[in-house]
Amino acid sequence: MHGGITNPGFVAFVEALLEGRLKLGQTLRLEELCDILGMSLSPLREAITLLEAEGLIQVRKRLGVSIFYPDVKFVGGTFQFRELLESEGLRRLSEGLPSAWIDDMLHAHAAIIELARCSRQPADFVTPVRELEERFHGGFVAAFDNEQITANYQRLTQKMYLLRLLNPDAVNVVNTIRSMEEHLDIVVALRDRDVERAIEALHRHLKNVLHRLLTR
C-alpha cells in the first residue's frame, strides 16, 4: 500500500477538493468518486482506507462516501495542535539561528508583500505564498529533526489548507499582506534574539488566521 498523504488517490482527493471538483460535506457514490478522481475502483479502495483513517471521509453502506465537514471543535483542535508543535519548534529553531535565515526571510516576505500589492487577484500570488508559508512554518517543525513529528505536521498542514475551503474569500490581498506582516513580527523578534516575543507573535498570528478563516 502506498502510505499516507503521498498515496496517489489521497493526493488526487485533496486536489479535487482544492480545485472545487469535490465539496466539503458532499456525499457521493464510489463510482462518482472514481470518475471525478480519474481512478479505477481497485486503487481507489486503497486511498479510501487512508482517507477514512485521517478522518477526511466516512464510508456509508448503500449511500457511498461522505466527505468531512469541519465543525468548530475540529477547527479549534487543528489550530491548537499546530500552535503546540510550532511554538516548541520555534523555540528550538531560535537556538543558534544563523543570520542568513533571518535575512532570507526578511527579503522573501518583503517580495511577497510587494507581489500581493501589485496583484489583481489571489491566483497571481497564491502559489508563491503557499511555498513561503511551508518554508517559514515548516522550518519551525524541522528544528525537531524528528521524522514522526514531521510526518504528523505534514498531515496537519494538509488539513489546514482544506480548512480554507470554509471561507475561500479569506484568501485575498489584504489578508495575505496582514499574514506576511505577522510573519515579519516573528522574524524581527528572532533577529532581536527575543524568543518569548517571537512565540507571542506566533500565537497572535495563528489566532488572527483563525479569526480570518471564520469571519465572512
Side-chain angles (χ1 to χ4, degrees):
M1 178 182 287
H2 297 285
I5 62 175
T6 61
N7 174 275
F10 194 108
V11 172
F13 175 85
V14 171
E15 288 179 348
L17 275 173
L18 294 174
E19 293 170 2
R21 291 180 287 120
L22 291 174
K23 304 291 184 183
L24 295 176
Q26 179 182 2
T27 297
L28 65 169
R29 293 179 291 106
L30 283 177
E31 294 78 8
E32 293 177 290
L33 188 58
C34 286
D35 290 341
I36 291 172
L37 301 185
M39 301 179 66
S40 61
L41 189 55
S42 181
L44 181 63
R45 291 188 186 281
E46 182 178 297
I48 284 174
T49 300
L50 296 168
L51 289 164
E52 195 165 25
E54 289 292 329
L56 298 181
I57 64 169
Q58 183 178 2
V59 179
R60 300 173 177 270
K61 290 184 177 180
R62 294 186 294 277
L63 290 177
V65 173
S66 292
I67 301 172
F68 88 121
Y69 191 93
D71 56 17
V72 173
K73 183 178 181 180
F74 180 92
V75 174
T78 302
F79 270 83
Q80 183 181 43
F81 186 32
R82 179 182 181 183
E83 183 178 289
L84 288 171
L85 283 179
E86 291 193 14
S87 296
E88 180 57 26
L90 177 55
R91 190 179 298 279
R92 295 181 182 226
L93 178 68
S94 69
E95 299 171 0
L97 183 65
S99 58
W101 187 92
I102 299 290
D103 293 339
D104 178 39
M105 287 298 156
L106 288 174
H107 292 139
H109 281 82
I112 289 294
I113 289 172
E114 183 62 23
L115 175 62
R117 283 176 175 158
C118 295
S119 298
R120 296 183 177 180
Q121 54 187 357
D124 296 336
F125 56 79
V126 64
T127 297
V129 166
R130 179 169 183 171
E131 290 172 351
L132 180 56
E133 286 182 333
E134 290 177 352
R135 193 152 58 94
F136 181 68
H137 288 282
F140 306 160
V141 176
F144 283 103
D145 193 23
N146 184 303
E147 292 182 0
Q148 293 185 46
I149 291 176
T150 298
N152 278 288
Y153 184 74
Q154 288 173 344
R155 293 185 176 91
L156 178 68
T157 300
Q158 203 162 51
K159 289 177 181 177
M160 291 295 301
Y161 277 101
L162 292 179
L163 291 182
R164 295 185 181 189
L165 298 174
L166 292 170
N167 185 10
D169 293 338
V171 181
N172 56 47
V173 171
V174 172
N175 285 343
T176 296
I177 292 174
R178 285 174 179 167
S179 186
M180 294 299 104
E181 289 174 341
E182 289 162 8
H183 282 193
L184 285 173
D185 289 340
I186 300 169
V187 176
V188 170
L190 289 172
R191 183 192 63 190
D192 296 341
R193 305 300 177 186
D194 191 339
V195 64
E196 296 305 325
R197 194 173 99 222
I199 291 174
E200 288 175 4
L202 173 62
H203 291 176
R204 186 166 58 250
H205 168 57
L206 294 179
K207 180 179 179 181
N208 288 341
V209 171
L210 178 59
H211 176 75
R212 289 191 284 266
L213 175 67
L214 298 179
T215 302
R216 292 181 178 273

